[in-house]
Amino acid sequence: MRVVLLVLALLGSVAVPASAGERLPRWEPKPTGVTAQFRGLSAVSGRVAWVSGTQGTVLRTTDGGATWKPVGPPGTETLQFRDIEAFDADHAVVLSIGPGTDSRVYRTDDGGAHWRQTFQNTDAAAFYDCLAFFDPWRGLAMSDPVDGRFRVQATFDGGRSWRPVPDSGFPPALPGEAGFAASGQCVTTAGPFDAWLATGGGTTARVLHSGDGGRHWTASATPLASSPSAGVFALAFRSPSQGIAIGGDFANPDAPGPAVALTRDRGRTWTMPGQYPAGYRSGLAWRGGTVLAVGPGGSDVSPDGGRHWRSFDTGSFDSVDCAGAACWASGAGGRVARLR
């Protein structure tokens, strides 16, 4: 026992379940009536949310999850929509992932009644993983490295058109380094100019940061483990200074090793907290000063910005997103829930 306590003191400890009488959040299921896996999720409010996933599926609710309307682009049943960014109940941009021409972007301005394809990758070596917006006009879409550097497309008109960011602004990628299209959160933004990319697969799990809207990038190492199936899977920033990286190993999701890192200097340095969720986690979201984390093995909450964690649900989710106090989660088997 002394040895166990010493190891925990040195390495930290995993999140623990709630104790008797402790009040923790809970997920309220919102049945969708479909079986698609929803890795794409965008919370607009407590009543409006969009999800996207396998078989070209895009759903939208405008009544708090009581009903869901299928609104995906027609003829896209073979695509996997791994990320969606919604600006309100009518306007949204969705990303399909995959090699070559499978990586595409579509935009709707009428709640999914009509879509327009605004980007289709033509480089067989590129594979787009996720996208994020600074505001309703400016956004970035991230691809795995091509010719040794990450590739990013930028939009300045809300996703209606895209143009490549010059690769000269990126540091060289590590051998095997890539992003993970697990939750639509491998790229994130905070404020008008700061953006971050999450990586893994190489010798080091890194975070790339841009302070000028995506034109120039620097890389910082994180203490998270990295391998072909491990690294940083999701990033979330409360402000341009304060952020969290989370991940683990999706091939070994029950491995208890720490997979959370915190930064307070725009991602220049990363430190591990003394406590962390148990196992692989793929999604992150801030709810004020509280952090939510989800993954196939369950959900965790940190009331103090990621320093201490409590497990509050054992169900499987892939992604989580909050709009103010309204938080949603989505995952496999058509599973969607709203936080209560």
Side-chain angles (χ1 to χ4, degrees):
M1 179 60 72
R2 290 181 179 177
V3 173
V4 172
L5 292 175
L6 177 59
V7 171
L8 291 176
L10 293 174
L11 299 181
S13 59
V14 298
V16 295
S19 58
E22 184 177 2
R23 295 186 63 184
L24 289 177
R26 63 179 179 87
W27 292 117
E28 180 180 67
K30 299 294 180 179
T32 61
V34 302
T35 59
Q37 182 167 12
F38 292 126
R39 295 184 185 270
L41 167 65
S42 188
V44 176
S45 67
R47 295 188 61 81
V48 178
W50 299 63
V51 291
S52 65
T54 54
Q55 302 168 341
T57 306
V58 179
L59 304 182
R60 182 192 64 152
T61 183
T62 57
D63 56 12
T67 61
W68 294 87
K69 183 178 180 180
V71 295
T76 59
E77 292 79 10
T78 62
L79 299 180
Q80 297 189 50
F81 288 127
R82 292 287 183 95
D83 198 1
I84 188 165
E85 299 292 329
F87 308 111
D88 51 40
D90 295 320
H91 303 85
V93 174
V94 66
L95 169 76
S96 67
I97 61 99
T101 57
D102 282 351
S103 287
R104 307 177 194 178
V105 177
Y106 296 81
R107 178 181 167 103
T108 181
D109 296 311
D110 55 11
H114 302 88
W115 293 85
R116 184 166 68 90
Q117 182 179 304
T118 62
F119 171 76
Q120 184 170 23
N121 174 50
T122 58
D123 190 332
F127 186 113
Y128 284 80
D129 299 295
C130 48
L131 52 78
F133 280 78
F134 297 95
D135 54 46
W137 303 102
R138 298 181 303 122
L140 303 171
M142 167 193 173
S143 166
D144 293 338
V146 176
D147 296 328
R149 294 181 189 272
F150 279 92
R151 179 165 293 181
V152 169
Q153 300 285 333
T155 181
F156 298 90
D157 55 12
R160 296 174 177 87
S161 65
W162 299 82
R163 60 193 188 198
V165 175
D167 61 8
S168 59
F170 292 84
L174 302 175
E177 191 175 27
F180 292 107
S183 61
Q185 296 177 328
C186 57
V187 59
T188 194
T189 63
F193 301 111
D194 287 276
W196 297 264
L197 309 181
T199 85
T203 56
T204 304
R206 302 196 299 174
V207 172
L208 276 63
H209 170 244
S210 172
D212 59 6
R215 293 188 298 273
H216 301 90
W217 300 80
T218 57
S220 298
T222 75
L224 276 65
S226 185
S227 75
S229 58
V232 181
F233 281 74
L235 295 165
F237 276 75
R238 187 184 183 192
S239 69
S241 297
Q242 184 182 9
I244 300 183
I246 203 165
D249 188 342
F250 73 80
N252 187 15
D254 296 325
V260 175
L262 312 178
T263 183
R264 287 187 172 272
D265 58 9
R266 280 182 157 84
R268 285 188 289 270
T269 60
W270 296 86
T271 59
M272 282 187 177
Q275 197 179 64
Y276 41 82
Y280 161 64
R281 295 291 183 266
S282 55
L284 270 178
W286 288 89
R287 188 193 196 200
T290 297
V291 187
L292 299 169
V294 301
S299 300
D300 307 274
V301 61
S302 170
D304 56 7
R307 293 190 298 275
H308 300 89
W309 296 84
R310 301 288 272 181
S311 172
F312 72 92
D313 188 271
T314 58
S316 174
F317 287 111
D318 293 309
S319 191
V320 58
D321 192 33
C322 297
C327 298
W328 297 77
S330 64
R335 190 169 189 235
V336 178
R338 191 176 65 179
L339 199 69
R340 303 301 292 180

